[in-house]
Amino acid sequence: LDITVDRGQGPECLMQVPRWDFHWQLIYFYEQTITLDPADLLAITCRFDTTSRTQPTVWGEGTMDEMCVAGMFVSDP
C-alpha cells in the first residue's frame, strides 16, 4: 500500500506499508498535520499477490477478496 501526493514535482510518499496485515484495520493518524493545496494530486496504489489462488480474485469485503480503501479526514483551517 502506497499513498502519495504530487505537488507538481513528482510523487512524495505520505504512507508506505510494504506488507499489510489483515488485523491492522484500524484508524491511524499522522503525528503532524499534512497541508494539501487544491492542485495537489493524491494517489493510492495497492498490490495483491494472488499467485497461489486458483479462483479469480474480485473486489469485495471478504478476507479473500481484493479491497483497497483509504479514508482521510479533511479540515479547512
Side-chain angles (χ1 to χ4, degrees):
L1 167 73
D2 297 325
I3 298 178
T4 59
V5 60
D6 192 332
R7 303 174 193 271
Q9 300 176 358
E12 169 190 338
C13 182
L14 295 180
M15 185 175 85
Q16 185 175 48
V17 182
R19 187 162 173 84
W20 182 259
D21 185 296
F22 178 81
H23 301 288
W24 295 347
Q25 297 184 63
L26 303 171
I27 297 174
Y28 297 92
F29 294 92
Y30 291 101
E31 291 183 6
Q32 301 210 341
T33 302
I34 296 172
T35 302
L36 299 172
D37 291 323
D40 293 345
L41 299 174
L42 291 172
I44 182 170
T45 304
C46 298
R47 293 168 194 84
F48 301 93
D49 182 359
T50 60
T51 55
S52 64
R53 301 282 314 265
T54 57
Q55 300 281 21
T57 303
V58 297
W59 187 91
E61 296 181 3
T63 302
M64 298 304 289
D65 296 332
E66 179 179 293
M67 51 182 139
C68 180
V69 179
M72 297 185 182
F73 290 104
V74 178
S75 66
D76 188 2

